Amino acid sequence: MPKHIFRLLALIAAGLVVAAIAKPLLTDSSFYRYGHYRADSVPEIAAQEPVYQTPSYCQSCHTERHAQWSASNHKTVVCEVCHGAAKGHPQNGKLPIPKDTAKLCTLCHEAMPERPRTQPQIQVAKHAGGQQCNVCHNPHAPKIAAAATKVTGNEAAGKERAAAACAGCHGADGISPNDTWPSLAGQNAAYLVRILAAYKSGDQTDAAMTPLAQALSDGDIQDLAAYYAGLSCKATSGGKVVGDADRGKLLAKNCASCHGETGIGSNPAWPILAGQKPGYLANVLKAFKAGLRKDPMMASVSRGLSENDIADLAAYYAAQSCQSTKQGKAKP
Amino acid sequence: MTKDSKPTLAARRAFLAKLGGAATGAAVGAAALGILPAASARTEAPSAGASFPTKDYDWTKHQWGFGVDANKCIGCLRCVEACKKENDVPGNAHQFRTWVERYVYLEGEDHVRIDSHQDPVNIAASGSEKEYRFANRYKDAKVDKGFFVPKLCNQCTHPACVQVCPVGATYRTKDGVVLVDPTYCIGCRYCVQACPYGARLFNEEKGVADKCTWCYHRITKGLQPACVEVCPVGARVFGDQKDKESPISLFIRNNRVQVLRPESGNAPNVFYVGIDKEVN
């Protein structure tokens, strides 16, 4: 064999030997275990920690919020969509409560022609007049309580029923003689129907009201609501005022979008507060705060109110006239 | 027609693979005795009973699948946001593992208008590249038809991206997910080019190819992928195709589903409902 050929072959052979020795040394031991890749990379990737934790993680501490949310229309929107990923919470601090709900909520609810018709959508410019969404909607239970319940009652029949069942506490003409019981005269009929039905069904309870409401038929409730709604309310409540009405006026701005500036709102499913007994107003707010009265919206707005705030709000609404703004105020 | 009626492309590929394997074996086998046998010996699975890749999860017991119902998608982009946070994807509008496309047909136009969150108009509407929002740009237009289509890696059965990788840094797991091994990836971006769906990205922060893993670290722990978890309307469906009652099995059985670009021969595993001919 010529020398130069031998050298060439020897070089190739030496190269093959080096390759044969180097390859197993340079290749990860798990490389061919399942195929042409490093098998150890699979458990490495699988070992990453999840960032999004799922609602059951939140439930263990935020039980009440979780229960409210999971019963609402928003139950498909998990906690971390709005509050951010929960990894590191609570150890590393609080998760954000979204401030700019007008921006957040419209991600899903801004009316767009390309969105499916089944998605609830709003015309942003017309819907809320630039207000934040959580002024009226509770994000954990966004649906607003039954808009205008139908009222079909008979006033005369209601008058008879009221004389027998209600007048003892609420007054012969719907004006309560007592500071802790509400006046009913001139109240929204739809609200009266809703609340009487709630007492009857047990959704709302009261030592005095529950047995009385349970004795009423649905027709009786309609008649009573029509009767009391038709009565004239007094200009002032006449109850004992302990709070500061001027301070209450400032606080009441937070309530105005539903209950109106002076306590007369636009939706008949919500109560008129103007001219109501201050003791009653304060008691109801305390009951919402304590969870004795159940309403998702009122629960969240009353949570931040102090005893003084409640007294001031009650004083403010008690001092408003239930009639003076009634004509001009009616919105379409 | 062949009796097993394989698509011609796949049949041709299988035939060429066999031919190539035989030729290589004949040529190299003799010359490099001792190398190939050692390598092939190591491809054997380890002792039966050991669970892989984690002690609570055996990848031979699952075959994952993904469904997209475009009829339900509202284009809120919470999936894009969740994916970015869950997988530490660079926080800009142009690198993403999943995205949503908007298809709009305007009256009197003969073409479809397509945009996604990285369109400058949508970036402007969201306020920053780290927030995701579709601008309401068609609110005053005469829209004939419009819809959103979520997109992500199809975790193909015959993935082109895996085929082109020169270093074995990307592979398909036994439970049906295509993964990237970041320690082996050399950042050549062949895979980014090869993917017919544009599903891969190059992660410039890490210098490696990156892609949707169907949140492999979540699904191996019994959780859903982050995008499925946060979708408020159920437009994304995920589950185990080996479980006949899983969400994905029911989705495939109860709907007329289709896949994107079936002609590419990649055999994708994301099944779509409610998409138009323009979507591919």
Side-chain angles (χ1 to χ4, degrees), chain B residues 39-265:
Chain B
S40 59
R42 276 181 286 158
T43 57
E44 298 298 314
S47 58
S51 158
F52 189 86
T54 69
K55 65 176 166 49
D56 303 320
Y57 177 83
D58 184 348
W59 66 357
T60 60
K61 294 202 164 69
H62 304 274
Q63 192 64 47
W64 301 110
F66 203 107
V68 171
D69 189 345
N71 291 321
K72 290 184 179 167
C73 181
I74 57 172
C76 65
L77 296 172
R78 297 309 85 201
C79 47
V80 175
E81 163 122 2
C83 176
K84 287 260 191 182
K85 286 186 187 158
E86 180 71 40
N87 297 296
D88 195 21
V89 182
N92 66 62
H94 305 285
Q95 290 177 291
F96 40 84
R97 292 178 172 196
T98 186
W99 69 103
V100 179
E101 291 171 358
R102 169 164 62 182
Y103 290 74
V104 173
Y105 301 76
L106 295 182
E107 273 179 32
E109 286 190 355
D110 59 356
H111 65 280
V112 60
R113 292 170 179 244
I114 308 172
D115 65 345
S116 75
H117 70 263
Q118 60 172 338
D119 188 283
V121 175
N122 296 331
I123 294 173
S126 69
S128 90
E129 287 208 12
K130 296 189 179 189
E131 291 168 89
Y132 313 100
R133 177 184 204 104
F134 275 110
N136 202 355
R137 65 200 293 179
Y138 300 112
K139 69 176 172 208
D140 300 320
K142 290 199 167 163
V143 176
D144 209 15
K145 176 160 82 167
F147 54 92
F148 296 98
V149 182
K151 292 227 176 145
L152 68 163
C153 174
N154 285 286
Q155 317 290 1
C156 305
T157 307
H158 305 298
C161 55
V162 170
Q163 199 179 10
V164 299
C165 180
V167 293
T170 186
Y171 52 90
R172 185 161 188 270
T173 63
K174 292 201 190 302
D175 45 359
V177 182
V178 177
L179 297 178
V180 176
D181 175 359
T183 60
Y184 259 46
C185 178
I186 55 171
C188 71
R189 296 171 232 199
Y190 278 5
C191 55
V192 180
Q193 296 285 331
C195 176
Y197 305 100
R200 283 191 172 235
L201 65 135
F202 185 70
N203 187 328
E204 269 142 25
E205 289 172 6
K206 294 174 184 158
V208 294
D210 202 343
K211 69 181 289 296
C212 163
T213 62
W214 284 355
C215 286
Y216 198 68
H217 60 293
R218 295 176 67 89
I219 62 178
T220 49
K221 294 179 181 73
L223 297 168
Q224 299 216 296
C227 59
V228 179
E229 178 71 30
V230 301
C231 180
V233 292
R236 289 170 180 255
V237 178
F238 183 78
D240 188 351
Q241 294 188 70
K242 284 193 176 173
D243 173 2
K244 290 297 162 207
E245 296 305 314
S246 72
I248 188 62
S249 297
L250 294 173
F251 182 81
I252 294 171
R253 197 184 316 147
N254 296 336
N255 291 293
R256 310 297 153 257
V257 297
Q258 65 185 103
V259 295
L260 302 179
R261 295 182 191 242
E263 74 285 359
S264 72

Side-chain angles (χ1 to χ4, degrees), chain A residues 5-19:
Chain A
I5 297 291
F6 176 77
R7 278 183 188 157
L8 194 63
L9 288 175
L11 206 62
I12 289 171
L16 283 171
V17 169
V18 170

Side-chain angles (χ1 to χ4, degrees), chain A residues 264-277:
Chain A
I264 301 172
S266 54
N267 186 332
W270 301 325
I272 293 171
L273 306 180
Q276 191 52 276
K277 300 285 178 189

Side-chain angles (χ1 to χ4, degrees), chain A residues 3-324:
Chain A
K3 211 179 199 176
H4 66 283
I5 297 291
F6 176 77
R7 278 183 188 157
L8 194 63
L9 288 175
L11 206 62
I12 289 171
L16 283 171
V17 169
V18 170
I21 295 167
K23 193 178 180 196
L25 289 176
L26 293 174
T27 307
D28 190 274
S29 62
S30 72
F31 194 81
Y32 290 103
R33 191 181 299 156
Y34 295 107
H36 189 255
Y37 58 93
R38 195 170 62 90
D40 285 351
S41 69
V42 184
E44 279 167 27
I45 291 166
Q48 284 171 33
E49 285 294 317
V51 175
Y52 278 75
Q53 304 290 330
T54 79
S56 55
Y57 175 83
C58 311
Q59 185 182 17
S60 52
C61 298
H62 303 281
T63 319
E64 206 178 308
R65 278 288 162 80
H66 185 280
Q68 190 184 75
W69 160 81
S70 58
S72 80
N73 286 9
H74 262 176
K75 61 178 176 285
T76 57
V77 188
V78 299
C79 316
E80 290 161 293
V81 169
C82 301
H83 295 289
K87 187 188 182 186
H89 170 80
Q91 301 86 350
N92 301 347
K94 294 188 169 194
L95 291 180
I97 295 169
K99 290 251 164 29
D100 192 354
T101 52
K103 189 176 182 190
L104 178 76
C105 304
T106 52
L107 279 169
C108 297
H109 295 295
E110 179 176 15
M112 285 191 185
E114 52 284 18
R115 288 215 154 115
R117 296 302 89 184
T118 47
Q119 171 71 1
Q121 296 168 57
I122 57 151
Q123 301 288 343
V124 174
K126 292 179 194 157
H127 183 80
Q131 285 192 96
Q132 292 292 337
C133 307
N134 59 346
V135 169
C136 293
H137 298 272
N138 174 356
H140 299 115
K143 195 161 189 172
I144 287 176
T149 314
K150 224 175 186 180
V151 180
T152 54
N154 178 309
E155 285 187 38
K159 187 174 182 179
E160 271 178 45
R161 203 79 178 77
C166 320
C169 296
H170 291 290
D173 48 1
I175 302 295
S176 163
N178 183 308
D179 188 39
T180 53
W181 299 323
S183 294
L184 303 180
Q187 187 54 274
N188 285 327
Y191 166 72
L192 290 172
V193 168
R194 182 162 71 85
I195 225 71
L196 271 173
Y199 278 124
K200 190 182 175 191
S201 71
D203 287 345
Q204 186 159 311
T205 54
D206 179 89
M209 284 305 296
T210 301
L212 288 167
Q214 280 170 346
L216 298 173
S217 70
D218 290 347
D220 290 339
I221 288 176
Q222 290 283 352
D223 294 343
L224 283 170
Y227 166 66
Y228 279 115
L231 292 178
S232 153
C233 58
K234 273 189 190 166
T236 53
S237 69
K240 189 182 159 214
V241 173
V242 289
D244 176 354
D246 289 339
R247 218 184 138 260
K249 185 174 183 178
L250 294 176
L251 285 166
K253 288 197 181 354
N254 298 321
C255 319
S257 57
C258 295
H259 290 293
E261 266 171 57
T262 62
I264 301 172
S266 54
N267 186 332
W270 301 325
I272 293 171
L273 306 180
Q276 191 52 276
K277 300 285 178 189
Y280 166 74
L281 288 172
N283 283 346
V284 168
L285 273 173
K286 287 175 194 165
F288 278 126
K289 193 180 171 186
L292 300 171
R293 276 200 184 205
K294 307 235 181 295
D295 180 274
M297 193 66 218
M298 287 306 296
S300 58
V301 297
S302 60
R303 190 176 289 120
L305 296 175
S306 69
E307 294 273 308
N308 280 341
D309 292 341
I310 288 175
D312 296 344
L313 278 170
Y316 171 71
Y317 284 120
Q320 304 307 307
S321 163
C322 69
Q323 291 171 316
S324 61

